[in-house]
């Protein structure tokens, strides 16, 4: 199952074309809507004021409620666009955004309104595609769940990496603010509002677990290894700037005797006592949960005045970004990371 | 230019098949050998006692000293193998290694001797392929260089991410122990020997910079984005468990106003004052150096006794790994990471 | 530039998602409509009575009349559907159609109405994608044109394979019935009507020429060779059952001395005196026009009673196909073959 | 299972790197040698006098006689090279060969000796790879077999396309000259010798059948359809200029009522009474044998003087090809086409 995301923030629609969807999956449309609601804007003042219905329309690949097995395209019409907000910054690339490299890459022809194809809006069809992937994986007993690992330096509890944490993660998904520890979630929300009140934004990290993935999947080789496949899907999510598996960057500080996950028989199941490897050795799953963390950079759209250049005059310039923006996208990105992970698993299972 | 690495640690040879190599590149064989020497074993007692000549033999794709443009296969014969060392651990998967998942993935048919296809030996043809990639990129003014960022918690100086650090990195490549700060390098070596004397191993991180990459390369989409392409190549290097670009995981602690890289005119060149983005926004290069860090887990082969299982009896077991092993592979991995980066750039430039 | 066609004959829409479209192409919408009109139904009684407006709607990848360089999705809504016609044959696979293999492949979940994803309707978005490809190629001086080579055994004149036949082929494209010889075209139309009156259908062949393709494009290797790339795109067109380049199957009857195309200097341009190779040697273009012929099987939907099986009872059964059908699709397929060829060239130029 | 063929006619070796080979296949080395012997030269005076041992050397991916599942590279050393034969034609591209387009494509850097990477020698590793593929497919009950369909206009009997012709094809594979009808084979051999005596060469066609392929494999979409996958592999075989499935180009002359293959219950197996579709409808297998025919152009290396150009002076020139050449390669290509078909099936079964 492969996907192509298309659309622009202020174009007619965003959407996704999925190929390789198995035939005969009864789509749970309510579940797709629930996933979209998790990433939707406007729940509270933590997020942009832009409100989108995120109504999914299936154009192909579904018949009588089931997938047909042929390419599936779904779209989400854009409805609440205010293109005027962006026209005046057409020539003033926003620091931290893709405006300047996109101007070069697309020779000035990209749709600059609201970030165009680079907009966070494009994560809506990704979440919809991920919701379909989750339904497929669910039939195989595979679950992907995530929570905020940290925002603005405030850390949530961590998952227990040697345990199937499905129940706790399903509970997190029900929360308006997806942390394991509600207190920490409160603190994070305060930090977000504080940054917002200062015209600023905050970053964070998301921890994700994939449970139920069969052991012995993947290979060490380029294009086949589990970590590479996940990383490709995750780095395609806007704002992700780092991906680590298991203990990740902490491994730089460990000794081999600490880092090695002892293998043992838990009854007649093979397990490891720790899971610093994040469920993967040599690019292959080892049967433990696959656990990874991604870092999400702070939202680049801030209210403070910033230095940039003017693409008409190629002179230095000042820019104040207006429009509606999120002071933090980490909490909204939780279902997006789950979706990317689910789509990565679908690819992986074919390898 | 795409590559397939093949071979096993104790098989006849390791090698690589490269497709899409442009015709007419005059191969600098001495430069290929220099790169191989950088990763070679046996320089000092920091590394395994196994000594390999790493003699490159070209089987195809080279004619009269130049690349022909048709598929290029090179091999490195394995010479110093002692297979007896490994036979007794055939049924005792080594913790931290791929032995157990490989046993599952390949139904017990993989060559287990010395880790087989998972061995660090396989990075020799990768380095050779990377050396060819570097020669190609050099014609375009593109340079990839790396240094040890940390070993055992001892941190090297960092590169200045807004500056082309080619000169310093070329000087590092000449060193026997590739750090920017020689003192820190000394400390790291002490830490490695200390771990070795305790039958243990240490991990670390490598920082890599790609200079001269054209701006406007890559795209936000899956399979085309710069970070995803680098990550795929990097995660295929054994022991890499995390990849971050620019400020990476530190971005979780920053505000947008700090993280955003201000854009300005440096004469008539567009630059950013900081480079927290690592030279990439929205999956596209922005003209600043591409900077990333990878974490390398501590070598899993340690002399200490470890817990594992017996694949014959499916009972718990004890294992003491014998044979010749590295107490640290970070310093030897520096040219490997450069090679993977250079091969990633070759792929990227076709996108 | 790669494409994914999606949609079903009686679903909401058919469409195509194009990736890798260069930025900045000013789309000539009228030209896209003209290509669609060439394949459209209902011009005369040679074709099915189903009438479709074939109104192209761009969902993404176009901004201010130009391509943005990001994924481009266009759709054509289905309007004139009469699903009742098909329901009664749900369990009676039509001989010559994909009904039976599709039933197996998609486990009975494919949209069977009007052939679903297998319908000739799916060639509408292919033609639209091809029209965009043609506009791109036109900027490089590359032209793809085709004509009916034969229908029902009546042969059109053939192109002169050593000459750029653009002018003649553009004139053919203006004709309602795309043959070089209008008389032969008349005869073919009579043969089609005759078959129709007998409740039958006829097949034929299409000859296509690509002019202006640079020399030295392609490679002998799998996935890179010119003939393989064209063939992949052409066999994806419904009803194509054979593809031959240059003299094609006639080469079986030639001697080397006849088949070899003598090379000579035509002024300071290298040409060949004949073009039995169809412009390709060893998988690489040689600078002569690329010429190929495809065979199109007769339309499988015929009015005569046919033998089939009943998928409910797994017994032999009789079937009479009702609904609106073409007694011949060769003439309508001419722009489809051109489109597939243009899309193949776009892929080829990236190789 | 994917493959990359590498090597040059007068380089150190030809070979193939296979990825995706399932683990645990016990390789029948004698069977690989038998396949290589079928395509080998020097059996009789029908073929070039060049004699090669075609000794297969496995470099990776095989351990204790079984495939490991990791990339498998095998090579065949070149032994009987006479490079002097070719040096004088370095600047005189041979008509019908890839010399001229290769000169352009590879900027004059390709190995021109004996056709380099374009040589028929490269079909030796293809046959070896195909032999491995056949062993894999044999475990699934899938068989690929071929015979000469015609040489120099002399036609062999045809296979019965509605019947599993494995037995007859296995008998053909035992013959020195692989025709169904021995008399026709005799006539063909006479025609070859006649052409040879006149310093000329002859072309022909090969018919191939794949039996035992599961029904419902493939899809109508680009890259997934059965005919496209076969065609890609077949056009990568040197000298193939056309591919047709089932009745192929004859379908241009048929009516739908003739061309449609009636479906019926043969006991409790679904079959068709004819097999004009060659076992494929809409890009999906229908359970009948997959049958296709390829045309092989006459060998371009002939003894007669030919017109060409001089790449040094860019003037017209005369060329007489010396060296050792085949007056016909159709009979030697039979196992090559089978190999390409077997490798196509391996790819197809993953789709």
């Amino acid at each position: 199952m492969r996907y192509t995301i298309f659309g622009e923030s202020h174009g007619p629609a965003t959407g996704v074309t999925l190929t390789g969807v198995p035939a005969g999956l009864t789509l749970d449309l309510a579940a797709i809507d629930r996933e979209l609601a998790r990433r939707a804007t406007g729940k509270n003042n933590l997020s942009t004021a832009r409100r989108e219905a995120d109504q999914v329309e299936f154009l192909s690949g579904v018949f009588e409620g089931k997938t047909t097995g042929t390419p599936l395209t779904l779209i989400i019409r854009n409805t609440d666009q205010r293109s005027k907000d962006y026209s005046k910054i057409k020539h003033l690339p926003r620091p931290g955004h893709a405006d300047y490299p996109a101007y070069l890459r697309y020779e000035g022809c990209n749709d600059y309104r609201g970030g165009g194809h680079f907009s966070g809006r494009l994560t809506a069809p990704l979440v919809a595609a991920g919701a379909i992937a989750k339904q497929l994986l669910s039939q195989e007993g595979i679950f992907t769940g995530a929570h905020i690992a940290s925002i603005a330096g405030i850390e949530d509890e961590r998952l227990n990496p040697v345990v199937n944490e499905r129940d706790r993660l399903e509970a997190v998904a029900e929360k308006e603010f997806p942390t394991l520890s509600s207190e920490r979630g409160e603190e994070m929300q305060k930090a977000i509002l504080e940054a917002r009140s200062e015209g600023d934004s905050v970053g964070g990290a998301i921890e994700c677990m994939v449970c139920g993935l069969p052991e012995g999947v993947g290979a060490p080789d380029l294009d086949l290894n589990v970590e590479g496949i996940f990383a490709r899907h995750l780095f395609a999510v806007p704002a992700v700037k780092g991906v680590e598996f298991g203990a990740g960057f902490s491994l730089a500080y460990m000794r081999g005797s600490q880092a090695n996950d002892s293998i043992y028989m838990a009854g007649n199941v093979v397990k490891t006592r720790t899971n610093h490897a994040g469920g993967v050795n040599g690019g292959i799953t080892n049967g433990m949960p696959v656990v990874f963390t991604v870092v999400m950079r702070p939202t680049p759209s801030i209210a403070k005045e910033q230095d940039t250049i003017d693409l008409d005059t190629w002179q230095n310039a000042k820019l104040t970004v207006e429009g509606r923006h999120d002071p933090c996208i980490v909490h909204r990105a939780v279902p997006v990371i789950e979706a990317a992970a689910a789509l990565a698993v679908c690819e992986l299972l074919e390898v």
Side-chain angles (χ1 to χ4, degrees), chain A:
Chain A
M1 196 165 124
R2 305 294 167 110
Y3 67 92
T4 305
I5 302 284
F6 57 83
E8 282 81 26
S9 179
H10 290 61
T14 62
V16 63
T17 297
L18 287 159
T19 56
V21 185
L25 177 72
T26 301
L27 288 180
D28 179 344
L29 301 179
I32 298 173
D33 288 344
R34 272 199 306 277
E35 291 296 304
L36 285 165
R38 289 175 66 203
R39 78 158 277 294
T41 63
K43 272 193 208 158
N44 51 41
N45 54 1
L46 295 173
S47 304
T48 159
R50 179 171 173 178
R51 276 148 217 280
E52 296 280 358
D54 284 347
Q55 193 83 36
V56 172
E57 181 186 353
F58 288 91
L59 295 181
S60 69
V62 182
F63 178 52
E64 297 178 343
K66 287 186 195 166
T67 56
T68 58
T70 54
L72 185 161
T73 295
L74 64 84
I75 63 172
I76 299 168
R77 294 267 171 196
N78 288 321
T79 51
D80 180 25
Q81 310 150 11
R82 302 190 197 166
S83 298
K84 282 169 295 184
D85 291 346
Y86 294 96
S87 54
K88 67 173 162 184
I89 57 162
K90 180 177 174 184
H91 298 289
L92 298 173
R94 295 165 299 170
H97 274 290
D99 297 355
Y100 175 64
Y103 175 85
L104 299 168
R105 170 70 174 78
Y106 302 113
E107 299 169 30
C109 296
N110 58 308
D111 184 348
Y112 55 84
R113 297 168 303 163
H117 186 59
F118 296 83
S119 165
R121 284 282 315 140
L122 274 287
T123 58
L126 181 61
V127 165
I132 294 171
K134 283 180 174 188
Q135 293 177 24
L136 269 169
L137 296 178
S138 162
Q139 298 183 332
E140 316 284 326
I142 301 170
F143 169 81
T144 64
H147 71 108
I148 300 170
S150 77
I151 283 179
I154 301 154
E155 312 236 340
D156 193 14
E157 292 168 23
R158 299 300 288 228
L159 296 169
N160 182 347
V162 297
V163 164
N164 182 326
E165 288 270 35
R166 179 173 189 153
D167 290 349
R168 269 170 98 199
L169 285 164
E170 284 183 335
V172 164
E174 298 291 314
K175 291 184 175 183
E176 199 152 308
F177 197 83
T179 48
L180 292 168
S181 155
S182 298
E183 294 103 281
R184 294 306 181 89
E186 294 294 327
E187 291 174 55
M188 291 176 193
Q189 291 177 67
K190 270 181 217 147
I192 295 170
L193 292 174
E194 199 175 290
R196 179 198 188 98
S197 70
E198 295 170 28
D200 215 331
S201 66
V202 290
I206 292 170
E207 185 184 37
C208 183
M209 178 179 273
V210 183
C211 308
L213 203 48
E215 56 192 7
V217 169
D221 312 295
L222 183 70
D223 294 337
L224 303 181
N225 84 73
V226 173
E227 288 146 320
I229 289 172
F230 274 104
R232 233 172 80 237
H233 286 260
L234 293 166
F235 277 116
V237 174
V240 169
K241 297 299 286 185
V243 174
E244 62 178 6
F245 290 82
F249 279 87
S250 311
L251 290 161
Y253 305 93
M254 287 189 190
R255 288 210 163 175
S257 55
Q258 293 170 274
N260 286 354
D261 300 310
S262 297
I263 307 170
Y264 74 105
M265 298 302 304
N268 48 16
V269 177
V270 177
K271 290 196 176 177
T272 60
R273 290 202 192 276
T274 50
N275 190 7
H276 298 121
V280 185
N281 305 113
I284 307 178
T285 57
N286 64 18
M288 297 300 290
V290 170
V291 186
F292 62 85
T293 305
V294 300
V295 62
M296 311 290 299
R297 55 153 297 148
T299 329
S301 290
I302 55 176
K304 290 176 192 277
E305 189 185 71
Q306 296 179 83
D307 289 330
T308 188
I309 57 169
D310 185 316
L311 295 172
D312 282 339
T313 63
W314 297 94
Q315 300 291 323
N316 289 324
K318 295 285 181 189
L319 166 75
T320 306
V321 180
E322 294 177 13
R324 301 156 293 170
H325 301 290
D326 287 334
C328 180
I329 45 85
V330 182
H331 52 296
R332 292 181 59 197
V334 167
V336 180
I337 294 301
E338 290 176 10
L343 289 159
V345 173
C346 288
E347 178 180 332
L348 185 58
L349 294 180
E350 294 165 30
V351 163

